Amino acid sequence: MENSTHTILAFSRDLHTCDTNDKSITESTVRVIWAYHHKDMGEAGQNYHGSNRGTKSLRLLNPEKEVLSASLPYFDLTNKDVPVPDKDTTYWCQMFKIPIQHEKHHVTKVEPLIQKGHENLVHHILLYQCSSNLNDSVLDYGHECYHPNMPDSFLTCETVIFAWAIGGEGFTYPPHVGLSIGTASDPLFVLMEVHYDNPSYTEGLIDNSGLRLIYTPVLRKYDAGVIEAGLWVSLFHNIPPGMPEFVSEGHCTLECLEEALGAERPTGIQVFAVLLHAHLAGRAIRMRHFHNGEEQKLLAYDDEFDFNFQEFQYLKEERTILPGDNLITECHYNTVDRIRMTWGGLSTRNEMCLSYLLYYPRINLTRCASIPDIMEQLQFIGVKEIYRPVRTWPFIIKSPKQYKNLSFMDAMNKFKWSRSEGLSYNKLVLKLPVNVRCSKTDNAEWSIQGMTALPPEIERPYKTEPVICSSSSCLSCSLFLTLLFVVHIIASSIGNTELFV
């Protein structure tokens, strides 16, 4: 159909044609290429589209989102004229007070409010729950996060209650779940962390981006929670240069889930959406799920990861996580174009391997992650001794002679990495004991926190499910697509726009 402003086209195709010239459509990110000309095809044939062309990353199999009433109330959490420094990475933190108090409500949708023109500047926004013992003085000013001079009040904000990343749209909670606000156990003060990515070192940028929270007094059945899983962001996570493929794993360990779920929810929690997160070297991310040692179907995956398109994936079917389960966030990286080590860290040029699980009912578990042991990593490159006690970070190496008085980072960069050395190092890292991160909502820790655990014996690489080729009679195997184009040149009839997809 077509009206004065929009052209809408619908078509269908099989998900898996098993034609080598076709790309299978899966739950991974799909790059759609589009082009159009505003005039009819003439006798000479098709008209060239000119500049009317582009690409867009989409997740075509993400289930439809619920359409909410436009009359629902909302409140905005937005930065006010934040000066973005002329450096590649800035994390800016601002405290807010939730305006809804003394009566329970449910947030049903969260929308990004990105200042026009800053779509590539704002990389992600995290919302943290802070201590309820703070007072309104913490609202007076924002500050750079993770900075020695940042306010002490920021240190009370450890629990992620919502996450948005570049390219994502608004997130709508399922009809039976909502983010609870207004009760004594709900967030009163929240910290909004905005990651500004400014690789061109542009000066004079002023930003007013943030989030809009839409809520309702009509309560849902369950309160939603968020668990941050994967690799603890640190230098213990590192990737050699020149590697076409390197795999890192972050463990939400059996020990952490056993303790937290056993105490809070022995019958398990229901995961309904997952956000997978990495940086520029990321190529694919999978969340693997094990129950009593047996691997289940992947909880979530994106085998075509696009750094500039990161949003929550709604699960087709909610997944129960039980005591005795463990989860592995598996990240695949490519560093062929790099000549130095890539380190786990906050910058876009650093790396992360994280997954954010949205689940219900909410329990007292906010982080379930791991970091690999560091000493065997050092031994791999030939380090024999470090100075103890460790007074500096990264710590200083004592022997052998070629690394003497170098930091851990400098020694790893000095090592002559080849692809074969990188592969051997990868095999080692995946088998190393891991340090368990297992945190509660109120900045406390479960007793398993800091303990060492062995990663489970798993099949590597992950054995993907066999592709079943579609047939024209397999209606459930087809994808029905509707494309909507906003066109500035108004066509007079439905046949007037030539489109190639």
Side-chain angles (χ1 to χ4, degrees):
M1 64 160 284
E2 189 171 64
N3 59 23
S4 61
T5 59
H6 296 76
T7 298
I8 297 174
L9 303 98
F11 60 93
S12 65
R13 61 149 281 190
D14 292 333
L15 301 181
H16 308 288
T17 65
C18 293
D19 182 333
T20 55
N21 293 313
D22 287 342
K23 189 159 185 76
S24 288
I25 295 174
T26 68
E27 291 176 41
S28 297
T29 298
V30 176
R31 274 79 162 176
V32 173
I33 304 169
W34 56 267
Y36 71 90
H37 193 281
H38 61 272
K39 290 183 179 178
D40 280 341
M41 183 164 56
E43 291 182 8
Q46 295 174 343
N47 296 304
Y48 181 63
H49 50 72
S51 61
N52 298 321
R53 63 183 299 178
T55 66
K56 186 171 178 60
S57 286
L58 298 168
R59 193 163 283 114
L60 294 174
L61 300 189
N62 224 7
E64 276 190 39
K65 305 169 181 68
E66 181 190 8
V67 178
L68 299 177
S69 167
S71 62
L72 285 175
Y74 64 86
F75 58 90
D76 294 344
L77 308 175
T78 54
N79 283 324
K80 299 292 186 289
D81 296 329
V82 169
V84 180
D86 55 341
K87 58 181 183 178
D88 73 337
T89 298
T90 301
Y91 281 70
W92 185 262
C93 285
Q94 175 70 53
M95 198 83 79
F96 296 90
K97 191 174 185 178
I98 297 293
I100 311 303
Q101 299 163 43
H102 312 305
E103 187 179 349
K104 181 167 181 169
H105 292 74
H106 270 136
V107 172
T108 54
K109 185 175 183 179
V110 183
E111 295 178 339
L113 299 175
I114 308 303
Q115 182 174 319
K116 191 172 181 180
H118 287 187
E119 290 80 8
N120 292 322
L121 175 68
V122 181
H123 175 266
H124 76 239
I125 302 175
L126 292 180
L127 209 56
Y128 294 88
Q129 179 172 339
C130 305
S131 169
S132 56
N133 297 324
L134 302 173
N135 59 53
D136 288 4
S137 65
V138 301
L139 308 174
D140 293 342
Y141 61 95
H143 199 282
E144 194 167 335
C145 319
Y146 313 108
H147 190 281
N149 297 329
M150 74 178 188
D152 291 342
S153 58
F154 288 10
L155 298 174
T156 74
C157 312
E158 287 283 333
T159 299
V160 174
I161 59 172
F162 188 76
W164 171 89
I166 190 167
E169 298 179 354
F171 181 82
T172 302
Y173 288 85
H176 54 300
V177 190
L179 173 63
S180 180
I181 54 174
T183 76
S185 60
D186 294 333
L188 177 58
F189 292 95
V190 294
L191 183 77
M192 187 174 74
E193 171 192 293
V194 180
H195 174 189
Y196 294 112
D197 183 38
N198 186 13
S200 59
Y201 295 82
T202 304
E203 297 180 8
L205 295 171
I206 303 294
D207 185 66
N208 294 277
S209 300
L211 297 171
R212 170 166 293 173
L213 280 71
I214 299 165
Y215 63 94
T216 177
V218 181
L219 299 182
R220 270 93 188 279
K221 187 174 182 180
Y222 298 107
D223 295 341
V226 179
I227 296 173
E228 182 185 282
L231 265 166
W232 182 263
V233 181
S234 79
L235 298 176
F236 289 54
H237 175 209
N238 46 74
I239 306 162
M243 297 300 295
E245 165 108 333
F246 190 91
V247 180
S248 299
E249 291 176 353
H251 297 269
C252 178
T253 62
L254 179 147
E255 292 84 357
C256 178
L257 288 175
E258 191 95 60
E259 182 177 11
L261 288 173
E264 295 267 321
R265 185 76 179 179
T267 56
I269 56 174
Q270 301 297 124
V271 176
F272 60 88
V274 178
L275 173 67
L276 302 171
H277 181 64
H279 285 178
L280 288 172
R283 296 295 181 270
I285 311 176
R286 298 184 183 125
M287 170 147 259
R288 300 175 70 170
H289 176 204
F290 297 81
H291 178 63
N292 293 333
E294 292 291 322
E295 181 149 21
Q296 312 297 299
K297 190 177 178 181
L298 285 176
L299 188 63
Y301 69 92
D302 190 347
D303 291 335
E304 304 285 345
F305 177 76
D306 180 354
F307 168 76
N308 289 311
F309 176 66
Q310 304 186 43
E311 67 174 2
F312 274 105
Q313 300 181 27
Y314 297 86
L315 302 191
K316 287 180 180 175
E317 297 177 355
E318 294 177 353
R319 184 74 64 89
T320 305
I321 308 297
L322 294 160
D325 288 8
N326 55 287
L327 304 169
I328 300 176
T329 306
E330 176 188 286
C331 296
H332 295 246
Y333 301 102
N334 181 305
T335 59
V336 166
D337 59 346
R338 302 187 182 193
I339 59 173
R340 296 173 68 81
M341 293 290 289
T342 297
W343 301 95
L346 301 176
S347 167
T348 304
R349 264 54 58 188
N350 295 140
E351 266 310 328
M352 294 186 180
C353 181
L354 296 171
S355 46
Y356 293 91
L357 308 178
L358 279 178
Y359 72 94
Y360 68 85
R362 183 177 62 186
I363 62 171
N364 198 6
L365 176 64
T366 181
R367 184 175 288 113
C368 183
S370 72
I371 47 176
D373 179 74
I374 195 67
M375 290 313 298
E376 288 195 50
Q377 295 181 44
L378 286 168
Q379 290 167 11
F380 180 87
I381 65 168
V383 171
K384 294 180 179 177
E385 193 178 4
I386 65 173
Y387 285 102
R388 297 179 185 275
V390 177
R391 291 193 174 90
T392 60
W393 178 255
F395 45 78
I396 305 301
I397 294 167
K398 190 173 183 179
S399 68
K401 187 176 180 180
Q402 74 260 33
Y403 297 137
K404 187 175 176 63
N405 295 327
L406 291 182
S407 71
F408 159 53
M409 295 177 73
D410 289 338
M412 293 290 271
N413 277 319
K414 185 176 181 180
F415 183 75
K416 289 182 170 55
W417 291 100
S418 64
R419 288 190 182 179
S420 61
E421 292 280 14
L423 285 171
S424 299
Y425 182 65
N426 202 171
K427 289 178 182 177
L428 168 75
V429 168
L430 293 176
K431 294 179 180 177
L432 290 179
V434 297
N435 185 282
V436 176
R437 311 271 98 182
C438 194
S439 309
K440 295 183 177 181
T441 305
D442 52 2
N443 301 320
E445 294 162 347
W446 290 97
S447 67
I448 197 71
Q449 169 85 8
M451 294 185 180
T452 300
L454 287 172
E457 291 288 332
I458 66 170
E459 191 172 356
R460 295 191 184 95
Y462 172 79
K463 188 178 288 185
T464 56
E465 295 179 32
V467 170
I468 300 172
C469 299
S470 305
S471 66
S472 57
S473 61
C474 180
L475 297 178
S476 63
C477 299
S478 292
L479 173 71
F480 187 80
L481 294 174
T482 302
L483 298 183
L484 179 146
F485 288 83
V486 180
V487 291
H488 298 292
I489 299 171
I490 300 172
S492 60
S493 71
I494 193 165
N496 248 10
T497 301
E498 222 174 90
L499 174 74
F500 312 94
V501 180

